[in-house]
Amino acid sequence: MSSTLPAFTDLNATWTFIQPGLEFILGAQNDQGVTSTMYMNCYTAVYNYCVNKSRRGSTPQSIASNTENNSYSLAGAEIYSKLELYLVQFIKNLKKQPNESFLEFYVRKWTRFTIGAVYMNNVFDYMNRYWVQKERSDGRKDVFDVNTLSLIKWRNEMFQPNHEILINQILELIERQRNHLIVDTNLISTSIKSLVFLSIDIQDLKKPNLIIYVNSFEKPFLDATMAYYLKESSEYLAHHNVVDYMKKCETRIAEEISRSNTFLEDHSKKSFINILNKSMIENHANEMYDQFLILLQQNQIEDIQRMYKLLSRVPKTLDPLANALEEYIKREANSVIEEIQKQSEQEIKDGKKKAIEPKIYINKLISIYNQFNDIVIQAFNKDTKFIRSLDNACRYFVNNNCIALPKPRSPCKTPELLAKYADVFLKSSSKDSDIVDMNSDNLMIIFKFINDKDEFEEAYRRLLARRLTLGTFKSEELEESVIHKLQEENSIEFTTKMTKMFSDMKASEDLKLKVKSKLANEQTVKEFTPMILAQASWPFTLSKSFDLNIPEELQITVNTLKEVYSSQHQGRQLKFLFNHGRAELKANLSKKGKPAFTFSVSSVQFMILLAFNHKATYTIDELHNKVGGEKHVFLAHLSALTKHKLIIEDGENLTIVEEYKSKKLKVNFVSSVKSTSLNKDEEEEENNDIRNEINESRKQFLQASIVRIMKSRKNIAHNSLFNEVQLQSVNFEVKIIDFKKVVDDLIEKEYIRRDGNGYEYIA
């Protein structure tokens, strides 16, 4: 290349001067680079031509004239045209070597060409900044800066005529890499990146564009990926088990993601991941479902977790898995509970126990929950779908099993057994060794799954009432903590009556101190615990069978109690629940020099024994008239005393013994009453009271809910009303037959009336 610059007015001389330099810049001379002198000479020649050619006119005189007027016409079209023709010819003359593939040739030449295009763009910098910009601002969309022009010519002359062979060789190389053969990854990444650079929007050069990349590479690549993994996965599963296949999937997906990060554009990654998921996971989800139950039976947590992670890549495939888990839990739970029932029935038959133990039943429910809850946590990463499946399964087997529903349409026994379970670990008489695995947290696990929470509340409240009145609770703090947890899980209203029961106990203690203070100088009963229980909160009912006569020994105490209470609460009426009363009395019926006996007795037994303070022998009728109450109740409690020979029965005469023979100084006569037929009658009556109270409470709730909904909606269809009532009922499951009865009652009371297939509110 000559070092003497050409005349600035001579286009051909200028092009002849710079062409050898462009050859070196673009690497035509065996990749020999351009020198700095050659580079600067090319730049100067182009600059001189464009600057001086821009002046209007071509003669020295016209140039001088234009200089005076400071008028210019930008030049560059002629040299731009020559550059276009040169680039086309240069690219066409590029030849691949005999021993290289087209892909290798393409990448080698593309790499050198794009480097040169950047330097060449600088050589024509003046033309780019003035003439090219002027032409494009005038609307010429076929004029580009030199670097962009170079890429367009490469696209037209090199890529488009050869794009099929290029893409095929890229895909072949990717497949070889998938087959774990050694490949030059630079060939893949560079060739694909070139497609991004060649995706030029000639209307707006600044606008991101991937049209070449998407149309030429992305679609064939995704199709090839789908075909490859459909074939591989089917062939692999034909000769391997599902667990091995899942491990293979994990490896393959990790490899593909790592590989794709080196050459895929972000635009393709989502579609690419979907292809991997569909070909390897979604298309073989059924095979995984079939293996799932086997893995559950074998407790293969790691493999279940692997299955979950794979299927979670396609969220819709998780639903069948969650459903399978739910059904499996139901079956396993029913199988376990049936085994408990068989064992319990055999023990009852052998006379080892009278009924199924709440502890065994509830602990088994808890163990089933804990077993599968651990699986949900470890294998399913606490996924809400699987938490819901576990909850649904637990709610089913807690309320629907052979122990909970021994007979069709019978009330579920789980709420009652759960209340009795709580009673065991809350009683002071329970041994720590027997209740080591029983606590309020376990209670709450099952509580949240029972449908009829109102039945639990009623049963629990009755047992709580007994613990409080008999003083058999372990600690007040423990009792209140359980109630607090019940309140948190449900509502304040749910525990209102229980909370009031504790308030009554504390108020009764204050009343006791005041009465004792007033009786300090009286010769009467000194040790007593009056319990003033609000009828609305406590589950006790007044029994006419226990209408006892208050003996004279108690008259002063009872009258004082009434007087003190009435002074604090005017207008309230006291009623005595003798059927729930207990007493301890000292009996001087032992040998001389021996301590007195302490008898634990019922209220009826207490009245009977006090009667013998006045004389030693009564006829049965005389004693009954003195004690009071219905005769069958009197005889039932009396039989416990005669059975243990505290009272001697001689025909119609009853005589207290002068010396009672017992190895124990403390004797409990109350427990003997429990074995009588009277107790069974009372238990049946109590169960009927419980059922009636629950039914009445539900009826009131349904009435209030329906009226509230109707008042708001005015008109509503039958099914819609039923569904809304169901949503509002959190403490029991609404049965359609009960719903219809309440609706009929409200229609009769003229709160609502039928309107076609629905109802209308009557204001």
Side-chain angles (χ1 to χ4, degrees):
M1 180 178 180
S2 173
S3 60
T4 304
L5 293 171
F8 60 80
T9 57
D10 191 338
L11 172 64
N12 291 329
T14 299
W15 183 257
T16 302
F17 180 80
I18 66 172
Q19 183 175 342
L22 298 182
E23 296 283 324
F24 281 98
I25 288 173
L26 292 176
Q29 306 300 324
N30 299 320
D31 290 340
Q32 183 179 348
V34 66
T35 65
S36 58
T37 301
M38 188 184 300
Y39 176 81
M40 287 305 300
N41 285 340
C42 288
Y43 176 86
T44 304
V46 173
Y47 175 82
N48 288 343
Y49 175 81
C50 290
V51 168
N52 291 284
K53 203 55 174 163
S54 296
R55 298 189 179 93
R56 297 183 184 275
S58 57
T59 62
Q61 290 82 1
S62 63
I63 292 173
S65 173
N66 287 337
T67 302
E68 290 176 3
N69 296 330
N70 198 27
S71 176
Y72 289 85
S73 175
L74 294 174
E78 298 91 342
I79 200 166
Y80 184 87
S81 297
K82 282 189 170 291
L83 178 60
E84 274 191 294
L85 294 173
Y86 169 74
L87 287 172
V88 170
Q89 196 61 43
F90 177 85
I91 295 170
K92 285 183 176 181
N93 289 337
L94 294 175
K95 304 294 181 183
K96 79 180 188 69
Q97 297 175 1
N99 61 340
E100 67 179 349
S101 66
F102 180 79
L103 176 60
E104 291 170 330
F105 159 72
Y106 180 90
V107 169
R108 179 169 60 83
K109 288 303 181 182
W110 163 263
T111 302
R112 184 64 183 83
F113 181 80
T114 51
I115 293 173
V118 173
Y119 283 96
M120 191 167 61
N121 191 66
N122 293 333
V123 167
F124 290 89
D125 178 65
Y126 187 84
M127 184 185 74
N128 283 339
R129 287 190 290 119
Y130 293 97
W131 182 78
V132 171
Q133 284 193 20
K134 173 69 167 56
E135 293 297 304
R136 288 193 67 82
S137 64
D138 288 344
R140 292 276 310 270
K141 300 300 182 181
D142 59 336
V143 175
F144 314 95
D145 63 89
V146 172
N147 186 52
T148 303
L149 176 66
S150 302
L151 296 178
I152 290 174
K153 295 307 177 183
W154 180 275
R155 180 187 69 187
N156 297 342
E157 305 303 327
M158 177 61 75
F159 172 74
Q160 288 180 344
N162 304 289
H163 77 278
E164 288 187 5
I165 186 172
L166 176 66
I167 298 303
N168 287 337
Q169 290 188 8
I170 292 173
L171 296 179
E172 287 174 8
L173 211 58
I174 291 173
E175 183 170 341
R176 286 174 59 83
Q177 190 180 25
R178 284 171 174 160
N179 293 333
H180 300 116
L181 299 175
I182 298 175
V183 300
D184 184 355
T185 56
N186 181 60
L187 293 176
I188 301 173
S189 58
T190 303
S191 58
I192 294 174
K193 187 61 70 176
S194 75
L195 306 184
V196 178
F197 285 114
L198 296 179
S199 299
I200 300 169
D201 185 351
I202 62 174
Q203 300 300 319
D204 186 353
L205 299 180
K206 295 181 180 181
K207 182 180 179 180
N209 192 305
L210 293 174
I211 188 170
I212 298 294
Y213 168 84
V214 171
N215 292 342
S216 298
F217 171 74
E218 182 182 87
K219 189 177 186 306
F221 169 71
L222 295 177
D223 291 343
T225 301
M226 173 66 85
Y228 182 89
Y229 282 111
L230 281 176
K231 180 182 177 182
E232 183 187 74
S233 59
S234 297
E235 290 178 352
Y236 193 90
L237 271 170
H239 300 92
H240 298 81
N241 61 43
V242 173
V243 173
D244 289 340
Y245 174 72
M246 292 192 298
K247 294 176 181 177
K248 178 78 171 177
C249 283
E250 286 181 332
T251 303
R252 274 306 200 184
I253 290 171
E255 288 174 355
E256 287 293 342
I257 291 175
S258 175
R259 184 182 301 119
S260 67
N261 287 335
T262 63
F263 62 79
L264 275 190
E265 290 296 303
D266 290 342
H267 178 274
S268 307
K269 289 182 178 178
K270 183 177 180 181
S271 299
F272 175 62
I273 294 298
N274 289 339
I275 290 291
L276 294 178
N277 293 340
K278 184 173 180 60
S279 59
M280 286 192 276
I281 299 171
E282 186 177 352
N283 283 8
H284 299 288
N286 287 332
E287 288 95 324
M288 297 189 200
Y289 299 151
D290 293 340
Q291 186 67 23
F292 176 59
L293 296 181
I294 297 172
L295 295 177
L296 275 175
Q297 291 168 355
Q298 297 173 350
N299 199 33
Q300 297 294 322
I301 302 300
E302 184 178 347
D303 292 329
I304 295 173
Q305 184 184 48
R306 180 175 286 110
M307 183 183 294
Y308 163 72
K309 286 182 177 179
L310 287 173
L311 292 174
S312 63
R313 299 176 64 84
V314 187
K316 66 181 180 181
T317 63
L318 288 177
D319 290 333
L321 196 69
N323 293 337
L325 175 67
E326 181 177 333
E327 293 305 314
Y328 179 81
I329 296 173
K330 290 178 182 178
R331 290 195 301 272
E332 286 297 298
N334 283 332
S335 176
V336 170
I337 296 169
E338 283 175 3
E339 189 63 33
I340 294 176
Q341 186 193 36
K342 290 177 183 177
Q343 185 178 350
S344 178
E345 287 176 348
Q346 186 60 46
E347 291 178 351
I348 293 171
K349 186 177 179 181
D350 296 341
K352 294 180 180 179
K353 61 182 182 180
K354 295 180 180 180
I356 187 168
E357 293 183 24
K359 173 185 174 181
I360 295 175
Y361 173 67
I362 298 299
N363 277 347
K364 186 55 66 176
L365 296 182
I366 292 167
S367 68
I368 296 170
Y369 168 80
N370 287 336
Q371 174 190 347
F372 290 102
N373 187 52
D374 289 342
I375 292 175
V376 169
I377 292 172
Q378 296 171 26
F380 300 108
N381 197 30
K382 298 182 182 179
D383 189 305
T384 53
K385 284 181 185 291
F386 294 88
I387 292 175
R388 184 164 57 250
S389 292
L390 173 62
D391 288 352
N392 290 342
C394 289
R395 188 167 291 106
Y396 177 83
F397 73 72
V398 163
N399 296 282
N400 300 274
N401 62 68
C402 54
I403 294 175
L405 298 174
K407 297 179 182 178
R409 298 184 180 179
S410 62
C412 178
K413 288 186 173 295
T414 302
E416 178 187 353
L417 291 170
L418 183 62
K420 290 180 178 178
Y421 168 88
D423 189 54
V424 172
F425 73 80
L426 290 172
K427 271 185 176 179
S428 58
S429 57
S430 300
K431 296 179 181 178
D432 291 340
S433 58
D434 293 335
I435 60 171
V436 66
D437 54 349
M438 303 173 69
N439 52 63
S440 58
D441 290 335
N442 285 342
L443 169 72
M444 298 312 300
I445 288 174
I446 305 303
F447 173 76
K448 73 176 181 178
F449 293 126
I450 58 176
N451 289 333
D452 298 327
K453 291 182 171 60
D454 56 346
E455 292 195 1
F456 167 83
E457 187 268 345
E458 187 63 29
Y460 184 90
R461 189 162 59 91
R462 288 178 180 275
L463 292 170
L464 171 63
R466 290 177 183 173
R467 293 195 298 275
L468 293 178
T469 55
L470 299 177
T472 56
F473 57 91
K474 186 171 291 184
S475 78
E476 190 172 319
E477 292 77 12
L478 181 58
E479 292 281 0
E480 290 180 343
S481 71
V482 173
I483 292 174
H484 181 68
K485 288 182 179 181
L486 292 172
Q487 179 180 308
E488 286 183 332
E489 181 65 32
N490 200 292
S491 65
I492 294 177
E493 291 77 11
F494 185 78
T495 58
T496 298
K497 291 181 179 179
M498 300 181 202
T499 305
K500 182 64 170 62
M501 288 162 67
F502 281 94
S503 300
D504 287 350
M505 294 299 292
K506 291 175 182 176
S508 296
E509 186 64 26
D510 294 338
L511 179 66
K512 170 187 170 181
L513 295 176
K514 292 178 181 178
V515 174
K516 286 186 72 173
S517 175
K518 193 161 188 177
L519 290 172
N521 299 322
E522 297 288 342
Q523 294 296 319
T524 184
V525 177
K526 295 295 192 296
E527 292 300 326
F528 69 101
T529 304
M531 297 180 187
I532 310 299
L533 314 177
Q535 187 173 352
S537 301
W538 292 76
F540 298 147
T541 55
L542 185 65
S543 176
K544 295 180 180 179
S545 300
F546 286 80
D547 188 11
L548 305 181
N549 300 320
I550 297 175
E552 58 185 76
E553 290 92 339
L554 299 180
Q555 284 292 347
I556 297 176
T557 303
V558 170
N559 291 337
T560 305
L561 172 64
K562 290 181 178 179
E563 181 184 340
V564 173
Y565 183 78
S566 298
S567 66
Q568 294 179 338
H569 306 283
Q570 294 182 358
R572 292 187 183 178
Q573 184 180 3
L574 288 176
K575 297 178 181 179
F576 289 91
L577 299 172
F578 288 116
N579 49 325
H580 295 287
R582 297 290 184 271
E584 283 191 354
L585 55 80
K586 295 288 185 181
N588 295 313
L589 299 175
S590 54
K591 289 183 180 180
K592 290 184 179 180
K594 295 265 183 157
F597 286 103
T598 300
F599 295 153
S600 295
V601 293
S602 66
S603 296
V604 179
Q605 292 169 337
F606 184 51
M607 306 302 186
I608 290 172
L609 293 177
L610 285 181
F612 285 101
N613 279 333
H614 303 283
K615 62 178 185 176
T617 302
Y618 289 91
T619 65
I620 293 177
D621 289 339
E622 284 178 337
L623 188 57
H624 174 233
N625 291 333
K626 188 169 183 65
V627 172
E630 292 190 3
K631 194 162 188 178
H632 73 280
V633 173
F634 166 78
L635 293 175
H637 287 259
L638 174 65
S639 65
L641 301 175
T642 58
K643 178 183 177 182
H644 293 282
K645 298 181 180 179
L646 178 61
I647 296 175
I648 305 300
E649 188 174 5
D650 182 14
E652 288 294 314
N653 294 325
L654 301 169
T655 305
I656 191 81
V657 298
E658 295 183 359
E659 182 180 315
Y660 184 60
K661 295 179 180 179
S662 174
K663 295 180 180 180
K664 297 179 180 179
L665 289 176
K666 290 187 176 181
V667 184
N668 187 344
F669 291 102
V670 180
S671 57
S672 299
V673 181
K674 293 182 180 180
S675 62
T676 66
S677 60
L678 171 67
N679 183 257
K680 294 179 182 178
D681 293 340
E682 288 178 352
E683 186 175 343
E684 185 177 347
E685 183 180 349
E686 183 178 1
N687 289 335
N688 290 333
D689 289 342
I690 293 173
R691 177 51 47 193
N692 292 336
E693 186 170 343
I694 290 172
N695 289 339
E696 184 61 29
S697 176
R698 290 181 177 181
K699 180 180 177 181
Q700 291 176 3
F701 173 84
L702 292 175
Q703 286 179 339
S705 297
I706 292 171
V707 170
R708 185 165 54 247
I709 293 168
M710 291 301 304
K711 189 173 183 180
S712 171
R713 299 284 294 274
K714 307 303 181 187
N715 292 87
I716 190 170
H718 173 86
N719 290 339
S720 298
L721 179 60
F722 180 70
N723 291 335
E724 288 201 32
V725 170
Q726 275 189 313
L727 289 175
Q728 292 188 13
S729 176
V730 295
N731 287 332
F732 66 94
E733 193 172 18
V734 181
K735 296 178 181 177
I736 188 67
I737 187 171
D738 296 332
F739 172 78
K740 288 180 177 179
K741 286 180 181 179
V742 171
V743 167
D744 289 340
D745 288 344
L746 292 175
I747 291 173
E748 187 177 341
K749 294 177 181 178
E750 297 186 348
Y751 281 95
I752 60 176
R753 64 185 169 205
R754 285 190 172 85
D755 181 18
N757 292 326
Y759 306 100
E760 180 184 358
Y761 178 69
I762 302 175

